[in-house]
Amino acid sequence: MKVLLLKDPKDKESGPDPYIQELGLYRFEATLIPVLSFEFISLESLFEKLSHPESYGGLIFTSPRALEAIKICLKEKSKNEAWSKSLKQKWNTKPVYVVGKATASLVEEIGLSPQGEKSGNAEKLAEYICSSTYFSAPSKCTSICWEEQLPIEISRTVPKPSEAGC
């Protein structure tokens, strides 16, 4: 039986899409149709905050989209140089929390060391962070979020242009 799977395909580098594999085991023939895209906003504000690690106690990444936004920022030569020369090292002296394994691998790609990748969801990550010895005293931690207002919105979900006429 044929089914439509309304989601973006998995990155080619991470192997076959697990949904297509699982559905195939039950003799379903899945066709992926991407219906959403992500529009990055506030990138200057994002990099401005990343440029002041002394103002924060750590980073919390709740989505791979946040890392995509940072990678876009780092494509600019001057920002990449600032990141490589000192910012990356300064952030590596602070905890960098992530909600899952996909986000953790992207954090590693920009040279940071993630913690909490086994949490799997925001509630468990919050418990992990609260139990951390680093945050036993009050500290300011910036949450680099996707579609959340804490403290900066960096992307929004929009229909794929080709699918908008549905």
Side-chain angles (χ1 to χ4, degrees):
M1 177 188 299
K2 293 183 178 184
V3 296
L4 293 178
L5 193 53
L6 305 177
K7 69 178 273 312
D8 277 333
K10 196 101 162 118
D11 289 336
K12 292 176 185 170
E13 297 169 2
S14 52
D17 190 276
Y19 288 97
I20 289 180
Q21 281 187 312
E22 190 66 25
L23 289 166
L25 295 174
Y26 295 93
R27 299 184 189 171
F28 287 101
E29 183 183 329
T31 300
L32 289 174
I33 298 179
V35 294
L36 299 176
S37 64
F38 299 93
E39 178 179 281
F40 291 102
I41 56 176
S42 306
L43 295 179
E44 286 300 319
S45 181
L46 168 64
F47 198 77
E48 175 62 27
K49 289 188 182 297
L50 288 174
S51 297
H52 297 284
E54 69 282 356
S55 299
Y56 301 97
L59 290 168
I60 303 170
F61 290 100
T62 61
S63 163
R65 301 288 172 259
L67 279 302
E68 289 176 32
I70 290 173
K71 285 181 171 185
I72 290 169
C73 289
L74 295 179
K75 285 181 181 179
E76 189 176 310
K77 185 179 178 181
S78 62
K79 291 176 180 169
N80 193 304
E81 287 175 358
W83 180 258
S84 297
K85 283 184 180 177
S86 67
L87 294 175
K88 177 175 45 174
Q89 291 79 10
K90 290 176 181 177
W91 280 113
N92 266 324
T93 65
K94 301 168 184 291
V96 178
Y97 297 104
V98 297
V99 78
K101 292 178 182 178
T103 306
S105 67
L106 293 171
V107 164
E108 289 169 346
E109 286 179 19
I110 64 165
L112 300 177
S113 301
Q115 300 177 39
E117 62 270 13
K118 293 180 182 176
S119 58
N121 65 48
E123 184 179 345
K124 289 181 181 174
L125 180 61
E127 290 172 10
Y128 179 85
I129 293 169
C130 290
S131 68
S132 166
T133 55
Y134 184 85
F135 285 107
S136 58
S139 177
K140 187 176 180 185
C141 194
T142 187
S143 176
I144 306 296
C145 299
W146 166 54
E147 294 210 56
E148 294 181 26
Q149 300 292 328
L150 301 173
I152 180 173
E153 182 182 25
I154 59 165
S155 71
R156 68 176 139 234
T157 307
V158 295
K160 285 255 188 222
S162 62
E163 306 297 327
C166 291

